[in-house]
Amino acid sequence: MNNLFYLNLKPEQFKRRFGAQIQTFKEMVKSIEQYRLANPKDKRGRRTKLNLEEQVLVALEYWREYRTYFHIGTNWGVSESTVCRIVTNVESTLMKTGKFGIPGKKAG
């Protein structure tokens, strides 16, 4: 799958596909970028295959459809464990920014 397919979606198609408005998606990406700049972490290890926008889309896709990590991973060309790590990381970072909340979850 071409990972740039989301750039060509109309706003209503984007909302239908990922369950969030494009503006909300952009705010999520911006919030995570700002949080990461303010709280740098160790840069060791392998670089991620997906950029930050794609990672947020993976998380949105998981929250929208609750498909298995395997199915989402095959769509994006990454492993199940990578999808799990992405969803967990995006979720916790969004919670830590204080701008987004997930029902039933606490910022940790």
Side-chain angles (χ1 to χ4, degrees), residues 9-22 64:
L9 294 177
K10 295 177 185 173
E12 60 273 2
Q13 292 173 323
F14 187 91
K15 167 92 166 120
R16 200 169 158 200
R17 174 77 164 90
F18 295 105
Q21 299 288 340
I22 289 179
R64 169 81 168 158

Side-chain angles (χ1 to χ4, degrees), residues 13-100:
Q13 292 173 323
F14 187 91
K15 167 92 166 120
R16 200 169 158 200
R17 174 77 164 90
F18 295 105
Q21 299 288 340
I22 289 179
Q23 189 59 33
T24 304
F25 162 71
K26 290 178 181 178
E27 289 175 27
M28 291 171 140
V29 172
K30 184 178 174 186
S31 295
I32 292 174
E33 285 174 341
Q34 290 173 347
Y35 181 82
R36 288 183 178 173
L37 285 174
N39 302 294
K41 63 179 184 177
D42 196 0
K43 298 287 184 188
R44 286 181 288 180
R46 181 176 245 187
R47 296 193 60 167
T48 59
K49 184 175 180 179
L50 303 178
N51 64 37
L52 180 58
E53 287 182 342
E54 292 167 339
Q55 291 178 32
V56 173
L57 290 174
V58 165
L60 286 172
E61 192 171 304
Y62 175 73
W63 296 328
R64 169 81 168 158
E65 302 172 9
Y66 285 109
R67 290 188 304 154
T68 64
Y69 292 146
F70 173 77
H71 287 105
I72 294 171
T74 54
N75 274 4
W76 290 91
V78 296
S79 68
E80 292 175 71
S81 59
T82 300
V83 173
C84 179
R85 199 172 319 121
I86 288 170
V87 170
T88 304
N89 188 1
V90 168
E91 188 175 278
S92 65
T93 306
L94 286 174
M95 296 290 290
K96 290 175 187 175
T97 65
K99 297 179 182 177
F100 298 93

